[in-house]
């Protein structure tokens, strides 16, 4: 007999400086693979483990909003933007858990480049009490899609949590890791910012409406905004 299924909620955290087509395509594919009840894009305010973003949190939020406005399956969660200071994902996930209770599976989505550094996150082991992880591949980090290649500390925590069937995510509320086989797209926000600062086109790397917003607001071009 199959186990009872619970609703599944997806959360895709990131700096989104700016949001681009790889973020959007990965999310769209996950919606079909995992069957989320809700899927939230969660822009972070001031990330702890990276440089200060090129665009303000207001602009990053606006770009996410514009990028997803035509997709009724996506929504923007700006709760981290409304918080001042350093962003701690675990605090946000505690809030989600309180909001949804124990009978919902929460899935936090991250690229393989972020996942290999998970052990540097604040209270990272607590994440598994709060959510599942869905890992998506990135060109250059494809080897991370199995636990064998992780640093020992991360491997010890993750090995037993690894599942190969997305349906398992709906059988418990947290604690599992699923590596999704999404399309590998070699797009990064760093590359987009660099191209803009060199006065080169970024067309077709991100939605036209986001590119228009970047141009209108002189983001990443070295002018004050
Ligand atoms: P930056 O170059 O500024 O770090 P980015 O393109 O990596 O930007 P982020 O906002 O840092 O974008 O990423 C948010 C999340 O999306 C992270 O978990 C990251 O790993 C993932 N991600 C970003 N780009 C891709 C991509 N091309 N394929 C799969 N996942 C991606
Ligand atoms: Mg990144």
């Amino acid at each position: 007999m199959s186990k009872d299924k619970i609703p599944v909620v997806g959360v895709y955290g990131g700096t989104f400086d700016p949001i681009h087509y790889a973020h959007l395509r990965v999310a769209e594919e996950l919606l079909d693979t995992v069957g989320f009840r809700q899927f939230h894009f969660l822009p972070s305010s001031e990330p702890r483990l990276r440089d200060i973003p090129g665009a303000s949190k207001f602009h990053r939020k606006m770009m996410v909003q514009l990028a997803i406005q035509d997709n009724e399956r996506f929504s923007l969660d700006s709760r981290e933007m409304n918080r001042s200071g350093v962003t701690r994902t675990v605090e946000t996930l505690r809030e989600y858990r309180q909001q949804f209770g124990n009978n919902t599976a929460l899935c936090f989505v991250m690229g393989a480049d972020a996942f290999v550094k998970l052990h540097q996150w604040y209270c990272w082991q607590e994440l598994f009490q709060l959510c599942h992880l869905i890992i998506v591949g990135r060109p250059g980090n494809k080897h991370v899609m199995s636990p064998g290649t992780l640093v020992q500390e991360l491997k010890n925590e993750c090995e037993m949590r690894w599942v190969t069937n997305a349906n398992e995510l709906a059988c418990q509320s947290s604690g599992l890791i699923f590596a999704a086989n999404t399309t590998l797209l070699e797009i990064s926000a760093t590359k987009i910012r660099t191209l803009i600062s060199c006065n080169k086109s970024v067309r077709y790397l991100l939605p036209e409406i986001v590119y228009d917003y970047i141009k209108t607001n002189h983001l990443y071009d070295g002018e004050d905004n």
Side-chain angles (χ1 to χ4, degrees):
M1 204 170 75
S2 68
K3 290 192 222 164
D4 286 343
K5 297 281 160 79
I6 55 176
V8 185
V9 170
V11 182
Y12 197 175
T15 320
F16 302 121
D17 187 27
I19 189 166
H20 52 64
Y21 273 138
H23 297 131
L24 294 163
R25 180 63 205 167
V26 158
E28 184 72 5
E29 291 184 17
L30 289 179
L31 279 160
D32 289 339
T33 311
V34 181
F36 296 106
R37 166 127 352 146
Q38 301 171 13
F39 192 92
H40 304 284
F41 285 83
L42 176 78
S44 57
S45 56
E46 290 165 29
R48 193 170 66 97
L49 295 173
R50 54 177 289 154
D51 296 340
I52 295 167
S56 69
K57 56 184 180 181
F58 173 78
H59 286 315
R60 291 185 291 110
K61 177 177 84 173
M62 288 301 291
M63 291 188 282
V64 172
Q65 182 64 67
L66 289 169
I68 67 173
Q69 66 185 2
D70 292 333
N71 192 328
E72 61 187 18
R73 304 201 287 176
F74 291 160
S75 66
L76 166 68
D77 186 337
S78 46
R79 73 180 71 204
E80 290 194 352
M81 304 253 125
N82 303 332
R83 216 188 272 156
S84 60
V86 167
T87 295
R88 292 190 158 133
T89 303
V90 71
E91 289 163 356
T92 304
L93 287 164
R94 285 179 198 144
E95 271 181 34
Y96 269 106
R97 185 47 74 199
Q98 279 218 313
Q99 188 181 326
F100 287 103
N102 288 333
N103 211 31
T104 295
L106 286 175
C107 297
F108 190 78
V109 177
M110 62 171 74
D113 60 312
F115 177 60
V116 288
K117 297 186 197 147
L118 188 72
H119 56 295
Q120 296 173 14
W121 290 26
Y122 177 72
C123 291
W124 67 277
Q125 279 143 319
E126 190 187 331
L127 291 176
F128 297 107
Q129 265 79 67
L130 299 168
C131 65
H132 301 310
L133 295 183
I134 296 181
I135 317 300
V136 294
R138 282 190 88 158
N141 288 93
K142 206 175 177 308
H143 61 285
V144 181
M145 304 307 278
S146 72
T149 56
L150 300 172
V151 296
Q152 198 62 42
E153 190 184 4
L154 199 51
K155 185 176 163 185
N156 291 346
E157 185 66 47
C158 295
E159 216 159 18
M160 302 302 290
R161 303 183 178 281
W162 218 267
V163 295
T164 52
N165 186 339
N167 291 332
E168 295 190 46
L169 300 172
C171 298
Q172 65 187 64
S173 60
S174 64
L176 302 176
I177 302 174
F178 173 67
N181 192 17
T182 44
T183 304
L184 295 175
L185 291 166
E186 191 149 17
I187 304 176
S188 73
T190 300
K191 180 174 174 177
I192 290 171
R193 293 192 302 272
T194 304
L195 287 169
I196 294 172
S197 70
C198 300
N199 209 16
K200 295 202 171 128
S201 169
V202 293
R203 211 168 170 198
Y204 310 124
L205 294 176
L206 74 182
E208 196 75 24
I209 195 166
V210 176
Y211 191 18
D212 287 343
Y213 184 90
I214 289 172
K215 285 185 284 192
T216 303
N217 292 284
H218 295 286
L219 304 183
Y220 315 117
D221 64 3
E223 293 181 32
D224 284 337
N225 50 72

